[in-house]
Every structure is written in C-alpha cells, then in structure tokens.
Amino acid sequence: MTIVDVAKHAGVSTASASKVLRNAYGASEAMREKVRASMEELGYRPHGPARGMRGRTYTIGVLVSDIDNPFFSLLADGVSSVIRAHSYELLLSPAGFTRSGQRNVKDALIDHQMDGLVLVSPLMSSEELEETARDIPLCVVGHHSDSDLFDSVAGDDELGASLVVDHLVELGHERIAFVMNHDGRMDPARPEYHRLAGYRAAMERHGLTDQAAVLDASWSFEGGVTAARLVDELPVQPTAVHAGADIVALAMMNELWRQERFIPEAYSLAGYDNSRTSALGPIRLTTVDQSGRQMGETVGRLLVERIEGRTDSRHELMEPTLMARSTTVAPRGE
Amino acid sequence: MTIVDVAKHAGVSTASASKVLRNAYGASEAMREKVRASMEELGYRPHGPARGMRGRTYTIGVLVSDIDNPFFSLLADGVSSVIRAHSYELLLSPAGFTRSGQRNVKDALIDHQMDGLVLVSPLMSSEELEETARDIPLCVVGHHSDSDLFDSVAGDDELGASLVVDHLVELGHERIAFVMNHDGRMDPARPEYHRLAGYRAAMERHGLTDQAAVLDASWSFEGGVTAARLVDELPVQPTAVHAGADIVALAMMNELWRQERFIPEAYSLAGYDNSRTSALGPIRLTTVDQSGRQMGETVGRLLVERIEGRTDSRHELMEPTLMARSTTVAPRGE
DNA sequence: GTGAAAGCGCTAACAC
DNA sequence: GTGTTAGCGCTTTCAC
C-alpha cells in the first residue's frame, strides 16, 4: 500500500497525491477530495522512513535524563498536545545521567532525522548545544541561555526561590538555610545557580544576609540525606530550610522520620517542583510550581515555529507560583 | 557523508561497508578494520530513514499510557539496557488513557518501521494485539495472554495478592476488604482480574470467605477517594484493606488525612507496585514489588529474540515480593 | 494545476 | 570474500 497505489486508485499522479498528503500548495480542492477518499478507502499509511528520506519525518525527539520525573510527564504532555495539532509525533528517549549517555542518545535522535529536538536539563555545555543546533532545530528546557542558535524555555528560578524566602519571612523565620546543588555553583546556565541567587537576593532584601546559610549537597535522594545531616551540624540551627528541589526535601523528611523527628516540628521545610508526591496528604510539602504543562506547550510552539522557518532565537522565562502547604509554619516561640 | 563516501575512502565496495556497519556475516577481519577506521575518520553516522527503508531501523518502540509512573521508568531502563547491547535504540511514546489515542500512537510507531514494539498495559483487545503482531514483533507487558502470535511478560498477580492477604492474616486480620478496578472484572487478560482471584483464593484458603468484601472503584487517584468512602459505607468495618494498587492506597491515605484520620490507626492498608512514593518516610506503605527493571530486561530479551527470528511465543510470569512496611499492623483489641 | 522522472542512502540479491 | 546494481516509498524539480 504505497502512495503510488493511492495515486493510481484516485487516477492522479504520485506527485499530486504527495501534495495532498503533505497539505502542500498546488492541488485543487477536487483533487484533494479524490485523493483523500482513496487514502481512506485503501487504508493507506505513509511510510515513515521513506518520508524521512527526502522530506520530514514529522517526528520531534525529546531527550530526558530518566522518565521517572512527574515534571517531565507534564512537559511531554504539553509538547505533545501542541505538535500533534501540526501533525508531528513525539518520541521520548531516556538518556540517563551521564554526559556520554546523553550524547549517544542525542546523536541517535539526529541520525533518525527528527525534525526537531527538545533537550530537557541536558548535561551539555552551551558550546555543545550550539553545535547541535547547527544540525537540527533545537529547544532546550531548564537551561538558562541567550544563544542565537537555539530556543530555550526555563522557569524564573530566581523569582521562585525568592517566593519561598518571602513566604518564610512572612511566617516569622529569620534563620533560613538553603540546600545547594554543588554542580551548578559556577554555571549560570543551571537552574540551581539562579535559585541560589534568588535566595541570596531575597535574604539580603529582608536584611537577613547574616542569617543565610548555604549547604552543599547534590540534588538527589542521597543528597537529601546528606543535607539533613548538614543542617544538624550547623553551629546555629535554622528554623527553616529551603531544600532547593522536592526530591531533596522528601529525602530530608524521610531521613528525619527515620530518626523519629518530624517536619515541621524540627524545622519548616520547602521544596521546589510541585511534584505529585509533594501534594499527598501525609506529606503536604510547601513547594514551587513550575507549570510543566504550560512550559511544554511553549516548547512545542517554539519548535514548530523554528521547523517552519524561524531563524532568530527565543528565550522564554516562565513565572513560577508558590504552593504553601503544611511543612512551613511559624517558628516556635517567636 | 554517506556509506558510499566511507566505501570510497576505505577502498572497498558499498556492500562491504554495509556489511561492516551491520556486523553482518561475510567480511574479513582486515576489511572490518579498514572500514571502521574510515567511518571513524570521516565521522560517519548512518542515516536512520535510509536504513529503515530497506532493512531495519534498529529502534524499538515502547508505548505507555503516560510516563509519570515509576514502574514504567524501571521497565524502560531494563528494556533499554538489554537492547542497547544488541545495538537497538529505545523510543518511548506516551499514548494517553484512551483507546483511540493508544491506537494512533501504535500505528505511528508501526509507520515509523520500528523493528519491534512493546505495549505496556495496553487498552486493546487480545484480537487487536494479535492483529498488531502480524505487522511487527510484539511483546506486551501487564497483559496476561497465551497468544501464539506475540510474547508477554506479566507479574504473577494472583501470587502477589495472596502474599498481601497472608501477611494481613498473619498479623491477625480477618475482615480484609479488596478494592477492585471495575474495568477488569471480566477480562482474564488484566492484572486486576488475577489480583482479585488471588485475594479470593487466599481468603478462602484461610477460611475467611465470609469476611471478604470487594469494593468497586477505578484504580486511579479519584478511585482511591471513592474507595475510602466505600470502606466507610460497609455495614461491618474491615480492619484491613488491600487497595489493589499503590495509587489507590495513596489516594485513600490522602483522603483520610483530609478527614484527620490516619493509617494504620483507622485500618491497615496495603497497595501494589512498590512505587517510589510508597517507600517514603512519612508514608511507608506496605505493598508488592514487581521488579520493573527485571521485567524490562526480560521484555528486551524476548523482543530481540523475536526480531532475530524466533516465531513461537513466550509468556513469562514474574514472581512478585511483599514489601511489609508501616501501614499494616495487628488489628486493635484482637 | 498536474504529471513524469530523478534520486535520497541504504540493503540484499546475485555475480564473480 | 568481495563488488555491482536494482530498488525501497517518498518528495521534488521541472516540464507541460
């Protein structure tokens, strides 16, 4: 069942059938009807690789570290909903947490002639991203950039972190610690760089610079265990901790729970990401919502624009919102 | 940069270069060396669609409802690790929870000439699966089947459910309710059908048939809210509930928490899936582990075997294990 | 607005 | 073991 069969059945040339298939310019309405009817009747399905050979694959590749992240799920949904409307499909590829793994998957996606690429929080330098952008339309998520060669969509991490500090200060806290992901200390492309900056700026704005304490731990479950220990080792105990990311906060809660200590009795705790788990009854973690779905929609829109010809770059910053829940309360005795 | 360039550069025919590329039979070691060196030197990358046109795409498509499910993540990791060793790539496609959406995505995957397909808990009849299996090597996960046309990997749900009942009985429970997903009542292909059977069989084995109570609610967050209400409406309160799935148990905990009631004080509660959330400190849900990674590895192995030529079908049942945690305790006053 | 024909990069069949 | 060549299904000039 090929396009030749369809053309024969409809009594037109393959070229015309192809135009109808692609909704391309240069076919009369009558012809479109005829061809579409034949396609329907014959149950014709276009052959992906054959299309990819000459034209487009109508497929957008999305690279993520691992798929076990509720934020990615929302993001993928958002991208998917937008690009489907333009008859593109979405293909997701889990690439792991190593540079080489991500590079392999990225190359594989390019080899498969994806029409566009989405890289989510990639472990790649800005140079490598620009290199990639020369090969394929590119939109990067969660990487702050101002490159001329690709688009980016990121949360306003600075604002998000300051939202948390403002909320804690409003509750009466002064000694507020922040858990930092070491990797991003010096890299302005990373979200944690901006969250730290937002935390620092907000503390200063409230005249609390002296009360600030930054703990060094990776943003992972293991990092959360470390962070819980680091808090205890602080010379002066904070009354509140901004964990920087939900996964860290959840691990800290887990670790304290193991020691039969509880949040918010031990200290107030906030995360970042509004993961599904954070909303659950017995947890109710105060966090920051990034609206993954909306970010995904933006990504989809930017990528389709770029595939259709835009060449100048766009860099969107999305506004996060605070989700105040049960893990942040007024400090005791103050 | 095509295979023709590589062949020229290495001073061999394109056919030979192709053989080296595919690790196919019929090329001397000397030739392999030469060609590989040229590929390296020229930075040659095979063109996916061109390969898919004549031969294989070296890509396996995995269809999942949505990617926000920790079990899928482990599964994908497992599949990926096995197929990579055979130089296949994995492409994941979130297809949503509707029949039509899943069918569209499945068709798109076939159109793209995937070499094999993994369908995870598909919303498709066994007939439709057999239909699909005529088009493409197929392995289905979480669908109990004995079809001759495709392979399947599923957990031993009957055993899993009875493990939970045994555990609860051992703690001293007798009035143990089970939350059932209505959709699967009559369909022996569905996991819930077997979990219900396992629950019933175990209750009978313990002489508790009269104490059994099956509640009808969908296996979703919303279903969990309903289930919590249904438990309260039972004429005789159970001392323990097997929620059938973690998501249901978590929603039930969440709903009770809203009413300022707590697990296990209200009643003992068990889930199924060993989701990451279930292990967290403040939750510690008793559940059943399905070892998603191992299932994924099995899926990968079966699919590669089938792509390489096996034609008879395999149906693997994987043994689950009980994860006894804090939500199941001895009933009060007994 | 429509059709004929070339050719994308690769693989497989077959000849040597 | 190695090379020659046809052709996969589609898109895209370029005539008409």
Side-chain angles (χ1 to χ4, degrees), chain B residues 123 204 273 286:
Chain B
L123 292 174
E204 185 175 345
D273 289 340
T286 291

Side-chain angles (χ1 to χ4, degrees), chain A residues 2-3 15 18 22 44 47 51 54:
Chain A
T2 78
I3 202 169
S18 172
R22 288 172 292 128
Y44 166 76
H47 189 281
R51 305 187 81 178
R54 296 294 280 157

Side-chain angles (χ1 to χ4, degrees), chain B residues 2 9 20 49-50 75 79 94 108 140 157 176 197 215 237 245 288 306 314 323 331:
Chain B
T2 77
H9 184 272
V20 175
L75 195 78
V79 176
V140 180
D157 294 292
I176 303 170
L215 309 172
Q237 286 296 296
V288 178
R306 201 169 254 282
R314 299 286 153 78
M323 308 294 288

Side-chain angles (χ1 to χ4, degrees), chain A residues 107-125:
Chain A
D107 289 341
L109 255 13
I110 294 175
D111 294 346
H112 283 286
Q113 299 288 110
M114 298 286 145
D115 294 333
L117 208 56
V118 179
L119 301 178
V120 183
S121 307
L123 290 174
M124 293 175 204
S125 65

Side-chain angles (χ1 to χ4, degrees), chain B residues 27-72:
Chain B
S28 66
E29 200 41 58
M31 157 147 301
R32 303 193 110 80
E33 296 260 322
K34 255 195 311 191
V35 173
R36 274 202 260 266
S38 294
M39 286 179 173
E40 179 82 10
E41 198 178 327
L42 300 178
Y44 166 77
R45 310 269 334 172
H47 189 281
R51 304 186 82 178
M53 195 88 187
R54 294 299 272 144
R56 296 182 182 168
T57 53
Y58 291 94
T59 310
I60 283 175
V62 179
L63 181 151
V64 296
S65 52
D66 80 325
I67 60 168
D68 183 10
N69 186 322
F71 178 70
F72 296 165

Side-chain angles (χ1 to χ4, degrees), chain A residues 232-292:
Chain A
D232 291 341
E233 289 172 7
L234 241 30
V236 187
Q237 285 296 296
T239 59
V241 176
H242 182 185
D246 276 2
I247 181 74
V248 177
L250 294 172
M252 290 176 75
M253 286 178 88
N254 185 65
E255 181 61 16
L256 289 185
W257 184 92
R258 235 175 36 78
Q259 304 169 11
E260 298 188 43
R261 295 160 66 200
F262 304 98
I263 298 288
E265 288 76 15
Y267 42 80
S268 284
L269 182 64
Y272 203 112
D273 289 340
N274 193 21
S275 59
R276 193 161 300 188
T277 305
S278 71
L280 273 181
I283 293 187
R284 303 286 306 161
L285 177 69
T286 292
T287 186
V288 177
D289 181 64
Q290 304 209 59
S291 181

Side-chain angles (χ1 to χ4, degrees), chain B residues 87-102:
Chain B
S87 67
Y88 289 88
E89 287 290 326
L90 179 150
L91 247 31
L92 207 67
S93 220
F97 293 92
T98 64
R99 248 163 246 273
S100 64
Q102 294 203 357

